[in-house]
Amino acid sequence: MIRLKVNRRSNVLLYAEMIIALLFFVISFAVIIRVFASADSLERRSRQRQSAALCAQSIAEAYSVSGDVQKAVSLALGADLRDFTGSAEIGLDSGFYPADSSDVILRLDEQKQDTAAGIYSELVVEFFDNSGDDEELIYSLKCGAYVPGGAAVG
Amino acid sequence: MKDHRARSMGDTASAVGSMLLFVLFAVCMLMAVAVAADTYSRIKTGYQQSFGTAASIKYISNKLRAAENVTLLEDGSAAAIESAGTVSVIYCGDGGLYEKNTVPGGELTADGGELISAASSLEFSEHDGLYEITVDSGVSSSVILVRKG
Protein backbone atom coordinates (compact mmCIF):
# COMPACT_ATOMS: atom_id res chain seq x y z
CA MET A 1 0.00 0.00 0.00
CA ILE A 2 2.82 2.36 0.96
CA ARG A 3 4.74 1.41 -2.24
CA LEU A 4 1.68 2.21 -4.37
CA LYS A 5 1.36 5.64 -2.72
CA VAL A 6 5.07 6.39 -3.31
CA ASN A 7 4.75 5.29 -6.93
CA ARG A 8 1.71 7.53 -7.45
CA ARG A 9 3.46 10.49 -5.85
CA SER A 10 6.51 10.01 -8.08
CA ASN A 11 4.21 9.85 -11.14
CA VAL A 12 2.54 13.11 -10.14
CA LEU A 13 5.94 14.74 -9.63
CA LEU A 14 7.11 13.47 -13.02
CA TYR A 15 3.98 14.89 -14.70
CA ALA A 16 4.41 18.19 -12.89
CA GLU A 17 8.03 18.39 -14.04
CA MET A 18 7.07 17.51 -17.60
CA ILE A 19 4.30 20.11 -17.66
CA ILE A 20 6.61 22.80 -16.26
CA ALA A 21 9.24 21.89 -18.87
CA LEU A 22 6.62 21.94 -21.62
CA LEU A 23 5.34 25.33 -20.46
CA PHE A 24 8.88 26.65 -20.53
CA PHE A 25 9.40 25.36 -24.07
CA VAL A 26 6.04 26.69 -25.27
CA ILE A 27 6.92 30.15 -23.93
CA SER A 28 10.37 29.92 -25.57
CA PHE A 29 8.72 28.83 -28.82
CA ALA A 30 6.34 31.83 -28.73
CA VAL A 31 9.26 34.18 -28.10
CA ILE A 32 11.30 32.64 -30.95
CA ILE A 33 8.36 32.91 -33.37
CA ARG A 34 7.84 36.56 -32.41
CA VAL A 35 11.54 37.32 -32.96
CA PHE A 36 11.53 35.68 -36.39
CA ALA A 37 8.29 37.38 -37.39
CA SER A 38 9.71 40.77 -36.45
CA ALA A 39 12.99 39.98 -38.30
CA ASP A 40 10.96 39.06 -41.38
CA SER A 41 8.87 42.24 -41.24
CA LEU A 42 12.02 44.34 -40.69
CA GLU A 43 13.62 42.77 -43.77
CA ARG A 44 10.47 43.48 -45.83
CA ARG A 45 10.37 47.06 -44.60
CA SER A 46 14.05 47.51 -45.43
CA ARG A 47 13.51 46.22 -48.97
CA GLN A 48 10.43 48.44 -49.37
CA ARG A 49 12.41 51.46 -48.16
CA GLN A 50 15.21 50.70 -50.60
CA SER A 51 12.77 50.49 -53.54
CA ALA A 52 10.99 53.66 -52.38
CA ALA A 53 14.31 55.52 -52.17
CA LEU A 54 15.26 54.47 -55.72
CA CYS A 55 11.80 55.45 -57.05
CA ALA A 56 11.83 58.81 -55.24
CA GLN A 57 15.34 59.51 -56.52
CA SER A 58 14.27 58.75 -60.10
CA ILE A 59 11.21 61.03 -59.79
CA ALA A 60 13.40 63.80 -58.32
CA GLU A 61 15.98 63.50 -61.11
CA ALA A 62 13.32 63.54 -63.84
CA TYR A 63 11.50 66.44 -62.12
CA SER A 64 14.69 68.49 -61.83
CA VAL A 65 15.25 68.11 -65.58
CA SER A 66 11.71 68.81 -66.81
CA GLY A 67 10.03 70.71 -63.94
CA ASP A 68 6.90 68.74 -64.88
CA VAL A 69 5.40 66.28 -62.39
CA GLN A 70 3.39 64.35 -64.99
CA LYS A 71 6.45 63.78 -67.15
CA ALA A 72 8.63 62.90 -64.16
CA VAL A 73 6.15 60.28 -62.91
CA SER A 74 5.65 58.92 -66.41
CA LEU A 75 9.43 58.53 -66.89
CA ALA A 76 10.13 57.09 -63.44
CA LEU A 77 7.12 54.80 -62.97
CA GLY A 78 5.32 54.67 -66.30
CA ALA A 79 2.20 56.03 -64.58
CA ASP A 80 -0.24 58.31 -66.36
CA LEU A 81 -1.01 61.38 -64.22
CA ARG A 82 -3.78 63.25 -66.00
CA ASP A 83 -5.38 66.42 -64.61
CA PHE A 84 -2.63 66.99 -62.06
CA THR A 85 -3.56 70.02 -59.95
CA GLY A 86 -0.80 70.35 -57.39
CA SER A 87 -1.30 67.06 -55.57
CA ALA A 88 -1.93 63.46 -56.55
CA GLU A 89 -2.06 59.94 -55.18
CA ILE A 90 -0.92 56.84 -57.09
CA GLY A 91 -1.44 53.23 -56.00
CA LEU A 92 1.56 50.93 -56.42
CA ASP A 93 1.99 47.19 -55.98
CA SER A 94 4.70 45.59 -53.85
CA GLY A 95 7.14 45.83 -56.78
CA PHE A 96 6.49 49.61 -57.04
CA TYR A 97 4.57 49.41 -60.30
CA PRO A 98 1.27 51.29 -60.77
CA ALA A 99 -1.63 49.00 -59.81
CA ASP A 100 -5.29 49.12 -58.76
CA SER A 101 -4.78 47.08 -55.60
CA SER A 102 -2.26 49.26 -53.83
CA ASP A 103 0.19 47.91 -51.25
CA VAL A 104 2.06 51.19 -51.44
CA ILE A 105 0.64 54.69 -51.96
CA LEU A 106 2.67 57.42 -53.61
CA ARG A 107 1.63 60.97 -52.73
CA LEU A 108 2.90 63.94 -54.68
CA ASP A 109 2.50 67.53 -53.61
CA GLU A 110 3.80 70.39 -55.72
CA GLN A 111 4.18 74.01 -54.65
CA LYS A 112 5.14 76.73 -57.13
CA GLN A 113 6.73 80.03 -56.21
CA ASP A 114 6.88 82.93 -58.61
CA THR A 115 10.19 84.72 -58.16
CA ALA A 116 11.66 87.67 -60.04
CA ALA A 117 14.05 85.33 -61.86
CA GLY A 118 11.50 82.63 -62.77
CA ILE A 119 9.37 79.90 -61.25
CA TYR A 120 10.77 77.75 -58.49
CA SER A 121 8.71 74.62 -57.92
CA GLU A 122 9.07 72.21 -55.05
CA LEU A 123 7.80 68.64 -55.09
CA VAL A 124 7.28 66.46 -52.02
CA VAL A 125 7.39 62.73 -52.83
CA GLU A 126 6.03 60.45 -50.11
CA PHE A 127 5.59 56.68 -50.08
CA PHE A 128 3.15 55.09 -47.60
CA ASP A 129 2.75 51.43 -46.72
CA ASN A 130 -0.90 50.56 -47.23
CA SER A 131 -0.72 46.82 -46.46
CA GLY A 132 -1.70 47.18 -42.76
CA ASP A 133 -4.68 48.81 -41.07
CA ASP A 134 -3.00 52.20 -40.89
CA GLU A 135 -0.92 53.96 -43.51
CA GLU A 136 2.71 54.18 -42.50
CA LEU A 137 5.29 56.48 -44.05
CA ILE A 138 8.05 54.51 -45.78
CA TYR A 139 10.12 57.25 -47.41
CA SER A 140 9.83 60.95 -48.06
CA LEU A 141 11.85 63.24 -50.32
CA LYS A 142 11.62 66.91 -51.21
CA CYS A 143 13.02 68.10 -54.52
CA GLY A 144 12.96 71.27 -56.54
CA ALA A 145 13.12 72.54 -60.09
CA TYR A 146 13.85 76.03 -61.30
CA VAL A 147 12.24 77.25 -64.52
CA PRO A 148 13.76 80.50 -65.76
CA GLY A 149 11.49 81.61 -68.58
CA GLY A 150 10.26 78.27 -69.87
CA ALA A 151 13.29 75.94 -69.99
CA ALA A 152 13.82 73.94 -66.83
CA VAL A 153 17.11 73.76 -65.04
CA GLY A 154 17.60 71.40 -62.11
CA MET B 1 -3.00 -9.91 -8.85
CA LYS B 2 -5.52 -7.14 -9.50
CA ASP B 3 -3.30 -4.60 -7.72
CA HIS B 4 -0.28 -5.64 -9.77
CA ARG B 5 -2.27 -5.26 -13.04
CA ALA B 6 -3.51 -1.81 -11.97
CA ARG B 7 0.07 -0.72 -11.20
CA SER B 8 1.28 -2.02 -14.54
CA MET B 9 -1.48 -0.06 -16.34
CA GLY B 10 -0.55 3.04 -14.37
CA ASP B 11 3.11 2.70 -15.32
CA THR B 12 2.19 2.23 -18.99
CA ALA B 13 -0.11 5.29 -18.94
CA SER B 14 2.64 7.30 -17.28
CA ALA B 15 5.20 6.20 -19.88
CA VAL B 16 2.81 6.93 -22.78
CA GLY B 17 1.97 10.34 -21.29
CA SER B 18 5.63 11.20 -20.96
CA MET B 19 6.30 10.03 -24.50
CA LEU B 20 3.41 12.11 -25.83
CA LEU B 21 4.70 15.20 -24.06
CA PHE B 22 8.16 14.57 -25.44
CA VAL B 23 6.78 14.09 -28.97
CA LEU B 24 4.83 17.35 -28.64
CA PHE B 25 7.98 19.13 -27.54
CA ALA B 26 10.01 17.58 -30.37
CA VAL B 27 7.37 18.63 -32.95
CA CYS B 28 7.35 22.18 -31.55
CA MET B 29 11.12 22.38 -31.74
CA LEU B 30 11.17 20.99 -35.29
CA MET B 31 8.60 23.58 -36.32
CA ALA B 32 10.64 26.34 -34.68
CA VAL B 33 13.80 25.21 -36.48
CA ALA B 34 11.95 24.95 -39.83
CA VAL B 35 10.40 28.42 -39.47
CA ALA B 36 13.74 29.86 -38.36
CA ALA B 37 15.61 28.33 -41.30
CA ASP B 38 13.00 29.56 -43.79
CA THR B 39 13.00 33.08 -42.34
CA TYR B 40 16.77 33.23 -42.21
CA SER B 41 17.14 32.06 -45.82
CA ARG B 42 14.50 34.61 -46.96
CA ILE B 43 16.24 37.42 -45.08
CA LYS B 44 19.64 36.42 -46.44
CA THR B 45 18.44 36.10 -50.06
CA GLY B 46 16.48 39.36 -49.89
CA TYR B 47 19.39 41.19 -48.34
CA GLN B 48 21.86 39.87 -50.92
CA GLN B 49 19.56 40.75 -53.82
CA SER B 50 18.58 44.19 -52.63
CA PHE B 51 22.10 45.00 -51.47
CA GLY B 52 23.61 43.75 -54.75
CA THR B 53 21.33 45.72 -57.08
CA ALA B 54 21.16 48.80 -54.84
CA ALA B 55 24.94 48.91 -54.38
CA SER B 56 25.50 48.48 -58.14
CA ILE B 57 22.96 51.17 -59.03
CA LYS B 58 24.32 53.63 -56.46
CA TYR B 59 27.90 53.00 -57.59
CA ILE B 60 27.05 53.61 -61.26
CA SER B 61 24.79 56.63 -60.59
CA ASN B 62 27.51 58.28 -58.46
CA LYS B 63 30.03 57.65 -61.25
CA LEU B 64 27.63 59.15 -63.80
CA ARG B 65 27.03 62.26 -61.66
CA ALA B 66 30.77 62.88 -61.42
CA ALA B 67 31.38 62.13 -65.10
CA GLU B 68 32.80 64.61 -67.58
CA ASN B 69 31.97 62.43 -70.57
CA VAL B 70 29.89 59.27 -70.96
CA THR B 71 29.91 56.89 -73.94
CA LEU B 72 27.46 54.02 -74.14
CA LEU B 73 29.06 50.83 -75.51
CA GLU B 74 27.71 47.57 -76.94
CA ASP B 75 24.11 48.77 -77.45
CA GLY B 76 23.87 50.10 -73.91
CA SER B 77 25.08 47.00 -72.05
CA ALA B 78 28.26 48.84 -71.02
CA ALA B 79 29.36 52.43 -70.51
CA ALA B 80 32.67 54.27 -70.59
CA ILE B 81 32.59 56.99 -67.93
CA GLU B 82 35.36 59.60 -68.08
CA SER B 83 36.18 61.49 -64.91
CA ALA B 84 39.36 63.15 -63.54
CA GLY B 85 41.63 61.82 -66.29
CA THR B 86 40.42 58.21 -65.99
CA VAL B 87 37.96 56.27 -68.10
CA SER B 88 35.99 53.57 -66.26
CA VAL B 89 34.38 50.95 -68.47
CA ILE B 90 31.47 49.43 -66.51
CA TYR B 91 29.89 46.27 -67.86
CA CYS B 92 28.15 43.08 -66.80
CA GLY B 93 29.39 39.55 -67.42
CA ASP B 94 29.83 36.15 -65.68
CA GLY B 95 27.16 36.96 -63.09
CA GLY B 96 28.83 40.13 -61.92
CA LEU B 97 29.29 43.82 -62.55
CA TYR B 98 32.83 44.63 -63.65
CA GLU B 99 34.85 47.81 -63.95
CA LYS B 100 37.96 48.41 -66.02
CA ASN B 101 39.98 51.59 -65.64
CA THR B 102 41.91 52.97 -68.57
CA VAL B 103 43.30 56.27 -69.82
CA PRO B 104 41.35 58.61 -72.15
CA GLY B 105 41.89 57.50 -75.74
CA GLY B 106 42.62 53.91 -74.64
CA GLU B 107 40.86 50.80 -75.86
CA LEU B 108 37.22 50.76 -74.70
CA THR B 109 36.28 47.09 -74.50
CA ALA B 110 34.01 45.33 -72.03
CA ASP B 111 36.48 42.73 -70.75
CA GLY B 112 39.34 42.29 -68.32
CA GLY B 113 37.76 44.34 -65.55
CA GLU B 114 37.56 43.85 -61.80
CA LEU B 115 34.45 42.54 -60.09
CA ILE B 116 32.39 45.18 -58.22
CA SER B 117 29.27 43.26 -57.19
CA ALA B 118 26.95 40.43 -58.27
CA ALA B 119 24.49 41.20 -61.10
CA SER B 120 23.03 39.21 -63.98
CA SER B 121 22.44 42.07 -66.43
CA LEU B 122 23.08 45.77 -66.88
CA GLU B 123 21.48 48.18 -69.30
CA PHE B 124 22.09 51.86 -70.00
CA SER B 125 19.83 54.06 -72.09
CA GLU B 126 19.49 57.81 -72.54
CA HIS B 127 16.32 59.79 -73.15
CA ASP B 128 14.76 63.14 -72.18
CA GLY B 129 18.05 64.42 -70.75
CA LEU B 130 18.35 61.42 -68.42
CA TYR B 131 20.31 58.19 -68.21
CA GLU B 132 18.23 55.15 -67.34
CA ILE B 133 20.20 52.40 -65.60
CA THR B 134 18.67 48.95 -65.11
CA VAL B 135 20.44 46.34 -62.98
CA ASP B 136 19.03 42.82 -62.78
CA SER B 137 20.03 40.45 -60.01
CA GLY B 138 18.36 37.41 -61.59
CA VAL B 139 15.28 37.53 -59.36
CA SER B 140 14.61 41.25 -59.05
CA SER B 141 15.64 44.28 -61.03
CA SER B 142 16.13 47.91 -60.08
CA VAL B 143 15.87 50.97 -62.29
CA ILE B 144 17.10 54.48 -61.64
CA LEU B 145 17.12 57.71 -63.61
CA VAL B 146 20.14 60.00 -63.45
CA ARG B 147 20.21 63.36 -65.19
CA LYS B 148 22.90 64.05 -67.72
CA GLY B 149 25.69 66.54 -67.22
Side-chain angles (χ1 to χ4, degrees):
Chain A
M1 191 70 176
I2 290 167
R3 267 185 68 186
L4 191 68
K5 261 188 186 170
V6 168
N7 199 13
R8 253 187 213 162
R9 193 177 288 167
S10 78
N11 273 351
V12 168
L13 282 174
L14 181 75
Y15 274 125
E17 190 193 341
M18 289 298 283
I19 284 166
I20 289 165
L22 197 73
L23 266 175
F24 173 75
F25 285 123
V26 165
I27 291 165
S28 310
F29 182 68
V31 170
I32 289 169
I33 291 291
R34 270 184 78 98
V35 167
F36 280 115
S38 79
D40 192 41
S41 78
L42 271 176
E43 191 270 329
R44 267 181 210 174
R45 175 52 53 90
S46 153
R47 218 185 312 176
Q48 221 176 25
R49 202 164 282 167
Q50 196 124 39
S51 302
L54 284 178
C55 262
Q57 207 175 320
S58 291
I59 293 170
E61 293 270 354
Y63 183 69
S64 70
V65 169
S66 63
D68 182 359
V69 180
Q70 295 172 40
K71 196 172 180 186
V73 170
S74 168
L75 284 169
L77 296 168
D80 190 14
L81 252 190
R82 281 179 201 165
D83 307 324
F84 178 77
T85 53
S87 62
E89 205 174 279
I90 302 166
L92 306 171
D93 63 11
S94 55
F96 284 74
Y97 293 105
D100 294 331
S101 57
S102 47
D103 295 325
V104 176
I105 292 172
L106 163 63
R107 286 211 182 103
L108 300 158
D109 189 30
E110 188 187 37
Q111 303 282 332
K112 289 192 175 185
Q113 289 173 24
D114 265 324
T115 64
I119 297 169
Y120 176 69
S121 13
E122 232 174 38
L123 177 70
V124 179
V125 184
E126 285 175 320
F127 288 91
F128 290 89
D129 183 6
N130 194 36
S131 56
D133 293 335
D134 298 318
E135 283 179 10
E136 207 178 325
L137 182 69
I138 304 169
Y139 190 82
S140 172
L141 180 81
K142 195 185 256 186
C143 55
Y146 180 58
V147 188
V153 176
Chain B
M1 189 68 181
K2 230 179 190 179
D3 184 41
H4 178 73
R5 193 178 286 172
R7 246 192 306 163
S8 171
M9 282 275 282
D11 287 346
T12 311
S14 164
V16 168
S18 305
M19 282 294 283
L20 278 175
L21 282 172
F22 180 74
V23 165
L24 192 65
F25 159 66
V27 168
C28 281
M29 283 299 107
L30 275 175
M31 273 171 66
V33 169
V35 169
D38 181 52
T39 309
Y40 177 72
S41 78
R42 221 152 5 103
I43 289 170
K44 200 179 166 205
T45 313
Y47 177 77
Q48 276 175 341
Q49 280 165 5
S50 60
F51 178 78
T53 53
S56 308
I57 273 206
K58 278 172 192 160
Y59 185 78
I60 298 167
S61 59
N62 285 339
K63 281 250 171 198
L64 283 173
R65 283 195 188 100
E68 290 150 14
N69 187 29
V70 179
T71 314
L72 301 189
L73 308 168
E74 299 184 358
D75 295 330
S77 63
I81 303 166
E82 189 180 335
S83 172
T86 310
V87 178
S88 303
V89 179
I90 295 176
Y91 63 95
C92 192
D94 296 332
L97 194 74
Y98 290 84
E99 182 182 27
K100 184 175 81 172
N101 290 315
T102 180
V103 289
E107 194 186 1
L108 299 177
T109 52
D111 59 354
E114 282 181 38
L115 181 71
I116 303 169
S117 65
S120 64
S121 78
L122 169 71
E123 205 182 305
F124 290 94
S125 63
E126 46 186 329
H127 54 84
D128 301 287
L130 296 156
Y131 291 111
E132 186 175 330
I133 311 156
T134 310
V135 177
D136 201 326
S137 68
V139 180
S140 64
S141 71
S142 297
V143 184
I144 198 169
L145 299 172
V146 180
R147 68 184 145 154
K148 285 180 168 181

